Structures are given as structure tokens and as C-alpha cells.
Amino acid sequence: QHHLAKLAVWDYPAENPDLDEEFKGIWRQLRRDWRRQEADRLSQKERLVGLSPEEKAELRRLLGGRE
């Protein structure tokens, strides 16, 4: 969410040659943050009530870092 807010107010510098790499870096960080939050959510749910087979597979995928 912090990164989305940063992108929302970002002043686009049209002549910045590093812009593409900066955007890709921010996007990678957003995906990492989402994976971590989703893995945390599923881990907590697993401790509380258990997970369906699909959720278990998703948690394994998230913890493995694959998309």
C-alpha cells in the first residue's frame, strides 16, 4: 500500500533514462510485499482453522517465491 501511494503521487520525470528500472524495482517490491502479506495471512489461517488443499498449495507457492 505504501508503494501504491508513492506511485500515485509520483511526479513523472520524462527525461529520466533510469525511469524504467526504477518502475520495475517498485513493481518487484510491490509483488514481494503482496506475497509476504498473503503468506502471513494464510499461515495465520492455517494455525487458526486450517487450510483447504488449494490454500495449502498457494501457501507453498508463495513461500517458494514462485509466481
Side-chain angles (χ1 to χ4, degrees):
Q1 290 171 342
H2 166 73
H3 297 291
L4 280 177
K6 184 178 176 181
L7 282 173
V9 297
W10 185 30
D11 186 20
Y12 179 79
E15 297 299 319
N16 185 347
D18 298 323
L19 184 62
D20 189 48
E21 285 306 311
E22 184 175 351
F23 178 79
K24 288 178 184 177
I26 292 169
W27 186 250
R28 283 190 297 271
Q29 183 63 43
L30 282 169
R31 290 184 355 222
R32 277 192 300 266
D33 289 350
W34 178 85
R35 282 194 304 268
R36 184 175 50 248
Q37 290 173 2
E38 189 64 8
D40 289 348
R41 182 188 71 78
L42 288 171
S43 293
Q44 183 177 14
K45 182 179 179 186
E46 183 176 40
R47 286 189 299 275
L48 296 174
V49 296
L51 297 175
S52 70
E54 294 82 10
E55 289 169 321
K56 288 179 184 179
E58 177 68 6
L59 180 57
R60 282 192 303 272
R61 186 185 70 79
L62 290 167
L63 294 175
R66 295 185 315 264
E67 293 186 52

